[in-house]
């Protein structure tokens, strides 16, 4: 991508967003709705209509991500249909009280098997901070160090090692994906509410993307990276949600993945803002001692 990206942004990005919006219309309920609250200091409302090269110069503070208390005690399943996952709080720490995942036998990959954890003792969840804008926890298990991103009423799992192998159980599992409630558990009122939330999440994500891009208008490589990842997001979201229970009707997975993307963009904006403020901060003044000049004939000190 050449330097034209920066000079012709007002032409390029409307086209990009038109295509993105067209893709989003395939989701149920991609309608307008009030922007959700929760962000302590956000770009002005007019930021959504700014040209991409206009930079938001205010102090940006990312919204607080969902807390793990939102999934405590809830029955979660992979894509809402497979296995079981239940998180509880014990002695001030978060633990997995039940974890059941399906897989294939190591000795006979075509044969199904199942792995269960928690029955013989709860498994701890270790905090990893918020590297992508949302809280991340890791399962304290050498055999399966799954990492969970905490979303609103769901956990998005990924494994640093890809699949998890349990030699004693002769079972290999792939537990990556969105663990959430079954699609049949949502009422019509909840479904309609999520339709509005998706519209708000889409607008918030696009606004934060444009503002982040404006901050990189002098950094070609960073701008290219932001554009490529945002352009690839709709396809990645569709891939992540294609197997979720009744997704075409409820859109739960798409909503949570979009919110997670927005939290990531907000975290990048906050980090960029902090970095710029650090760069502009004047260096701490240091007092330099004056050299001692010895007058002629004076005895040395």
């Amino acid at each position: 991508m050449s330097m034209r990206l920066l000079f012709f942004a007002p032409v390029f990005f409307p086209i990009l967003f038109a295509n993105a919006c067209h893709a989003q219309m395939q989701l149920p309920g991609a309608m307008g709705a009030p922007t959700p609250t929760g962000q302590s200091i956000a770009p002005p409302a007019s930021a959504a209509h700014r040209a991409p090269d206009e930079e938001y110069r205010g102090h940006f503070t990312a919204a607080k991500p969902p807390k793990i208390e939102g999934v405590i005690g809830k029955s979660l399943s992979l894509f809402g249909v497979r296995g079981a996952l239940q998180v509880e709080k014990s002695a001030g720490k978060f633990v997995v009280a039940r974890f059941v995942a399906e897989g294939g036998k190591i000795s006979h990959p075509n044969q199904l098997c199942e792995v269960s954890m928690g029955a013989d003792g709860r498994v701890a969840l270790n905090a990893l901070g918020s590297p992508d804008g949302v809280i991340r926890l890791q399962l304290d298990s050498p055999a399966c160090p799954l990492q969970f991103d905490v979303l609103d009423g769901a956990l998005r799992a990924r494994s640093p090692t890809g699949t998890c192998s349990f030699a004693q159980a002769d079972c290999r599992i792939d537990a990556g994906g969105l663990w959430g409630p079954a699609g049949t558990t949502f009422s019509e009122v909840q479904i309609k509410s999520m339709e509005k939330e998706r519209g708000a999440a889409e607008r918030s994500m696009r606004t934060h993307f444009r503002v982040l891009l404006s901050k990189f208008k002098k950094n070609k490589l960073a701008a290219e990276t932001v554009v490529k990842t945002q352009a690839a997001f709709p396809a990645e979201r569709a891939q992540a949600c294609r197997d979720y229970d009744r997704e075409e009707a409820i859109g739960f997975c798409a909503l949570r993945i979009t919110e997670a993307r927005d939290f990531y963009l907000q975290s990048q904006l906050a980090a960029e803002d902090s970095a710029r403020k650090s760069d502009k901060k004047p260096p701490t003044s240091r007092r330099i001692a004056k050299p001692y000049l010895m007058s002629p004939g004076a005895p040395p000190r």
Side-chain angles (χ1 to χ4, degrees):
M1 188 178 293
S2 66
M3 288 298 293
R4 295 179 182 174
L5 170 65
L6 303 183
F7 292 104
F8 295 97
V11 176
F12 174 76
F13 290 104
I15 296 175
L16 172 63
F17 292 125
N19 292 336
C21 291
H22 177 72
Q24 299 308 323
M25 291 300 292
Q26 304 305 316
L27 296 172
M31 301 169 60
T35 301
T37 58
Q39 184 169 306
S40 55
I41 304 178
S46 59
H49 305 290
R50 288 179 176 178
D53 60 345
E54 291 186 77
E55 182 177 348
Y56 171 64
R57 300 182 183 278
H59 176 67
F60 186 87
T61 301
K64 293 183 179 180
K67 295 182 178 181
I68 191 173
E69 282 80 2
V71 296
I72 294 296
K74 293 186 176 181
S75 297
L76 308 177
S77 300
L78 183 58
F79 304 121
V81 289
R82 301 206 306 265
L85 175 62
Q86 186 169 341
V87 177
E88 294 182 358
K89 192 172 184 179
S90 176
K93 297 182 179 180
F94 298 109
V95 297
V96 170
R98 187 186 182 207
F99 177 70
V100 179
E102 300 174 352
K105 287 189 175 182
I106 299 174
S107 58
H108 300 85
N110 293 330
Q111 296 182 13
L112 297 178
C113 59
E114 186 177 273
V115 170
S116 178
M117 301 171 66
D120 298 330
R122 298 174 177 180
V123 185
L125 286 169
N126 301 321
L128 298 181
S130 304
D132 289 333
V134 294
I135 297 172
R136 182 170 294 173
L137 304 168
Q138 181 167 303
L139 190 66
D140 190 8
S141 168
C144 193
L146 281 175
Q147 295 179 356
F148 297 99
D149 284 349
V150 180
L151 308 183
D152 188 359
L155 295 172
R156 189 180 187 184
R158 68 189 76 193
S159 174
T161 59
T163 58
C164 297
S165 297
F166 298 84
Q168 292 183 346
D170 188 25
C171 194
R172 181 182 291 113
I173 65 171
D174 182 1
L178 190 71
W179 290 75
T184 54
T185 61
F186 293 99
S187 66
E188 289 299 323
V189 173
Q190 289 176 310
I191 294 174
K192 290 181 179 179
S193 177
M194 286 191 294
E195 289 179 358
K196 295 180 180 180
E197 292 175 21
R198 278 195 302 275
E202 288 285 344
R203 291 194 299 276
S204 179
M205 176 185 67
R206 291 196 295 267
T207 296
H208 290 134
F209 161 65
R210 287 196 293 268
V211 176
L212 181 61
L213 184 63
S214 74
K215 290 182 176 290
F216 293 138
K217 60 184 178 182
K218 295 181 180 179
N219 188 333
K220 177 183 176 182
L221 181 60
E224 288 180 352
T225 301
V226 171
V227 170
K228 288 179 180 179
T229 55
Q230 186 65 20
F233 173 70
E236 293 174 353
R237 177 178 54 191
Q239 177 72 16
C241 296
R242 66 177 185 177
D243 294 328
Y244 202 90
D245 186 29
R246 298 187 66 226
E247 177 64 15
E248 69 286 349
I250 62 175
F252 174 78
C253 179
L255 170 59
R256 298 303 177 230
I257 298 298
T258 303
E259 289 174 337
R261 173 67 182 174
D262 189 33
F263 278 118
Y264 169 76
L265 292 172
Q266 291 186 51
S267 70
Q268 295 299 298
L269 273 170
E272 181 66 14
D273 184 74
S274 297
R276 293 194 178 201
K277 287 186 179 296
S278 298
D279 292 341
K280 294 178 181 179
K281 186 177 181 180
T284 305
S285 59
R286 298 176 61 185
R287 185 177 181 181
I288 302 176
K290 295 182 179 180
Y292 172 72
L293 300 178
M294 188 169 58
S295 61
R301 289 185 177 180

